[in-house]
Amino acid sequence: DVKVTQSSRYLVKRTGEKVFLECVQDMDHENMFWYRQDPGLGLRLIYFSYDVKMKEKGDIPEGYSVSREKKERFSLILESASTNQTSMYLCASSGAGIPGAFFGQGTRLTVV
Amino acid sequence: GIQVEQSPPDLILQEGANSTLRCNFSDSVNNLQWFHQNPWGQLINLFYIPSGTKQNGRLSATTVATERYSLLYISSSQTTDSGVYFCAVERRAAGNKLTFGGGTRVLVKP
């Protein structure tokens, strides 16, 4: 089974903090993605990566950065958390082998 | 970019009923997936179905790529089928990223 694991299920951070969300996959997938999900706005792509050290902006990259130093790990970084970044964050991976994208369990981030 | 529309937005079913969810997309796609989002927020893969028909238990899906739509069928619905169903499409020209529809929220009443 494909396993995508996000480091936290729930997270509460203060405005201005630097926040790291970690995602690890065990399928040797080339592609990894970060989405955020908000009521009424659906799932929106923040950043994605198709290889180690490679990254591309998605639809809403402002206020975020990413890091992919190893193939299995993709980190989302909130440089200075703000209340409008309170959301559900979902990580996914895809690649050769089992077709399709697979998601982690999600991280519900609250910025106070 | 590609547009993905799902209908209906909301669906209330009595346990045991059958239903059809629809996903329309505005351009040709390489892949299409259906997901079920459980109450804890995780997206569970249901089908990877760029074309044709697949079945998995009480669920089945059909994609007609030439006409740019996909259907998800739920038969003999159960309360555990409640949740939000998403379709998502992938275009290789867009870098293998998934574009999601707005989802169909399903509530199955006992």
Side-chain angles (χ1 to χ4, degrees):
Chain A
D1 272 359
V2 175
K3 192 151 179 140
V4 181
T5 304
Q6 293 181 228
S7 52
S8 304
R9 190 49 104 44
Y10 299 96
L11 212 50
V12 180
K13 295 292 182 181
R14 294 195 181 279
T15 302
E17 273 192 82
K18 190 168 185 174
V19 181
F20 293 84
L21 302 183
E22 307 284 347
C23 177
V24 177
Q25 50 95 3
D26 67 355
M27 280 300 290
D28 202 35
H29 280 164
E30 300 83 33
N31 308 311
M32 295 189 75
F33 310 85
W34 276 106
Y35 289 84
R36 66 177 278 178
Q37 184 178 20
D38 301 287
L41 296 176
L43 280 95
R44 295 178 291 168
L45 182 65
I46 306 171
Y47 265 98
F48 67 104
S49 168
Y50 51 87
D51 203 350
V52 175
K53 297 192 188 293
M54 306 301 287
K55 61 186 179 185
E56 286 204 20
K57 292 180 180 179
D59 302 316
I60 51 163
E62 297 79 17
Y64 303 94
S65 62
V66 290
S67 171
R68 192 158 180 210
E69 296 296 317
K70 293 186 177 182
K71 193 173 186 181
E72 67 269 19
R73 186 180 296 270
F74 192 35
S75 303
L76 180 69
I77 303 157
L78 286 65
E79 297 292 343
S80 176
S82 64
T83 54
N84 63 12
Q85 291 178 310
T86 291
S87 186
M88 174 69 139
Y89 290 87
L90 293 155
C91 172
S93 73
S94 71
I98 302 174
F102 294 83
F103 281 80
Q105 77 275 30
T107 296
R108 222 172 265 282
L109 172 68
T110 302
V111 182
V112 298
Chain B
I2 192 168
Q3 304 299 313
V4 184
E5 293 184 0
Q6 291 185 242
S7 60
D10 296 279
L11 194 56
I12 299 175
L13 300 170
Q14 206 61 43
E15 197 169 28
N18 303 328
S19 64
T20 302
L21 283 60
R22 187 176 180 104
C23 173
N24 292 333
F25 41 97
S26 62
D27 206 343
S28 59
V29 299
N30 299 107
N31 300 313
L32 186 144
Q33 285 185 258
W34 283 97
F35 297 91
H36 176 217
Q37 189 166 38
N38 66 22
W40 298 273
Q42 184 163 11
L43 286 167
I44 307 298
N45 290 48
L46 296 177
F47 294 101
Y48 173 85
I49 186 165
S51 64
T53 297
K54 289 187 178 179
Q55 180 151 10
N56 185 2
R58 295 179 297 102
L59 301 181
S60 62
T62 295
T63 296
V64 184
T66 52
E67 296 187 22
R68 299 182 185 166
Y69 73 90
S70 184
L71 303 174
L72 179 70
Y73 305 97
I74 306 174
S75 65
S76 304
S77 57
Q78 300 177 359
T79 55
T80 51
D81 294 330
S82 297
V84 184
Y85 290 80
F86 290 99
C87 77
V89 301
E90 178 186 332
R91 300 182 69 222
R92 221 157 274 140
N96 296 327
K97 50 185 179 176
L98 284 174
T99 300
F100 282 79
T104 293
R105 185 174 298 275
V106 173
L107 175 63
V108 181
K109 294 186 170 182

